[in-house]
Amino acid sequence: MTEPIANRNWWMVVFFSCLLLGLSANGPGVANATDVQYPPIAEVPNAVIDLGKVEEGDVLTACFVLHNAGKGALHIHNVKTACDCTNADYPPDIAPDGRGEICLSINTLGFHGLSKFKAAVYCNDPSRPVIPLQARAQIAPMVTLTPERVFFKAMAGSELRQEIRMETKGPRPLNVRLESHDLGEKIAVDLVPITAGRQYRLTVRNRILTAGSYRGRIFLSSDHPGRERIVVPVFATLTPTVAVYPSRLVLDTGRCPACRAKGLYKGHLIIRAHDRKLLRILSVGPEQPGLTWTIKTMLPDEAFRLDIRYSSAADAPPPPSKMEIGINRTDREALVVPLSLK
């Protein structure tokens, strides 16, 4: 989970707080005569603490050592945290050459992933009136989805379905509800409980039979703090049983100046059966003067190369706008490929 909204622009808030403390005539950041003569010097050996990998719901403690290296007393006016999930405990004063601890208590409920928890220490050090602190942790979520997304990749027309298991590791019951999705008639979605309040099964079925691709999202809601809205990405790539590459044929003269002068153009297509069923090319059209082709076998009964040539002689008609390739498959009509000259 990313940082909560309250954490955003935190360093900017700290900067302007420093500015306001410096400009305020009666603010706590104004040094008195004693502070000017014997100023405190606030030092934090480690302003960032990495708490490592933890579980969501754990209450963490991060203690920062604050050393007063000056000759005057260091007064801590306040410690402000960027999130209600974080509380600060700190001593009001630190004697010269003394040390104190500022401890942050962090409730991780509602957080997951790399999360950062920030605080700012306001003190009477004239050179450093605001000291930023940060604790961070990699938080394993209490509510998990396995897998976290739906991915369909298969031949068009295949029966495709995928299940996602959702469960909670926490003590409180989990209630999940299917809200909606943005894929219309492309998918069918069903959510059923496996164990009431603990586990759910989300089943997604592909309803598209033709080749192509799509992507979208499934929206769920839950009563778990921080996971009130759960989004499940959906990706699908449905490959045609028989495909032509490229999908648009452009004939050109290549690097042959003489060919351009004579109006000789050429190109090729690859026809392949992805399901490895028997493939035969039965016809190529249209037939017209100036347009010729040859068929070469690349993989027996599976892949072929169709080399096409066109001559724009004076008596030749313009090239056709498309090529039609007849095949032996009942599950696929004739292959139609747009054609143009370059």
Side-chain angles (χ1 to χ4, degrees):
M1 176 176 177
T2 56
E3 299 177 52
I5 294 178
N7 272 351
R8 297 178 183 173
N9 299 322
W10 178 247
W11 304 122
M12 186 175 293
V13 173
V14 170
F15 170 79
F16 282 107
S17 298
C18 293
L19 184 62
L20 289 173
L21 285 172
L23 295 177
S24 174
N26 299 312
V30 175
N32 56 37
T34 303
D35 292 339
V36 172
Q37 186 176 4
Y38 302 105
I41 301 174
E43 294 179 348
V44 181
N46 187 10
V48 178
I49 295 179
D50 191 338
L51 299 172
K53 296 181 179 180
V54 301
E55 298 286 335
E56 179 188 354
D58 290 350
V59 177
L60 311 178
T61 300
C63 290
F64 302 82
V65 176
L66 183 59
H67 175 220
N68 179 9
K71 296 182 178 181
L74 178 66
H75 305 299
I76 300 176
H77 305 302
N78 194 11
V79 176
K80 293 184 178 180
T81 61
C83 174
D84 292 339
C85 61
T86 306
N87 294 316
D89 184 35
Y90 57 93
D93 302 290
I94 299 177
D97 200 31
R99 285 173 173 79
E101 283 191 334
I102 298 174
C103 292
L104 303 183
S105 177
I106 304 165
N107 186 349
T108 61
L109 186 64
F111 292 83
H112 63 277
L114 180 60
S115 301
K116 299 177 182 179
F117 306 91
K118 299 175 182 178
V121 180
Y122 294 79
C123 63
N124 66 328
D125 182 343
S127 63
R128 199 181 184 188
V130 182
I131 304 170
L133 305 176
Q134 180 187 115
R136 61 191 181 199
Q138 186 70 36
I139 303 175
M142 188 178 296
V143 175
T144 60
L145 279 73
T146 310
E148 295 184 339
R149 64 191 63 201
V150 175
F151 190 76
F152 295 130
K153 186 175 183 180
M155 294 292 168
S158 303
E159 182 74 20
L160 300 175
R161 58 174 284 175
Q162 183 175 321
E163 293 183 352
I164 291 180
R165 188 185 185 94
M166 185 182 312
E167 61 183 326
T168 178
K169 302 176 183 177
R172 57 179 292 175
L174 173 67
N175 296 301
V176 182
R177 185 174 63 182
L178 174 63
E179 295 291 343
S180 63
H181 62 82
D182 58 6
L183 287 168
E185 298 298 320
K186 294 182 176 66
I187 62 172
V189 186
D190 187 32
L191 178 69
V192 295
I194 301 174
T195 304
R198 306 299 301 173
Q199 298 176 334
Y200 293 83
R201 180 173 59 245
L202 179 70
T203 304
V204 184
R205 296 178 178 84
N206 170 62
R207 301 178 63 181
I208 298 297
L209 300 179
T210 56
S213 62
Y214 61 81
R215 64 174 60 189
R217 298 167 294 175
I218 300 171
F219 303 100
L220 308 171
S221 62
S222 82
D223 58 355
H224 183 77
R227 300 299 296 272
E228 291 85 0
R229 181 179 174 85
I230 301 172
V231 180
V232 179
V234 179
F235 303 92
T237 301
L238 308 177
T239 306
T241 53
V242 178
V244 183
Y245 306 100
S247 59
R248 178 179 295 273
L249 178 60
V250 178
L251 302 180
D252 60 30
T253 58
R255 299 181 179 180
C256 176
C259 296
R260 178 172 294 276
K262 296 178 181 180
L264 301 178
Y265 297 83
K266 62 181 179 179
H268 71 272
L269 297 170
I270 303 297
I271 302 97
R272 180 165 186 173
H274 289 285
D275 57 2
R276 297 188 176 180
K277 293 181 180 180
L278 179 66
L279 174 64
R280 291 281 188 270
I281 296 179
L282 304 179
S283 63
V284 179
E287 294 185 1
Q288 69 171 55
L291 187 66
T292 60
W293 57 82
T294 57
I295 300 174
K296 298 178 181 178
T297 300
M298 299 180 66
L299 294 173
D301 303 327
E302 185 177 336
F304 301 88
R305 173 177 170 135
L306 180 62
D307 290 306
I308 301 170
R309 291 176 173 81
Y310 171 74
S311 174
S312 60
D315 57 345
S321 60
K322 60 185 178 182
M323 299 291 296
E324 295 186 7
I325 305 167
I327 58 176
N328 65 321
R329 303 291 290 270
T330 58
D331 59 342
R332 185 71 191 268
E333 299 177 350
L335 308 173
V336 179
V337 182
L339 184 148
S340 61
L341 300 182
K342 181 178 178 180

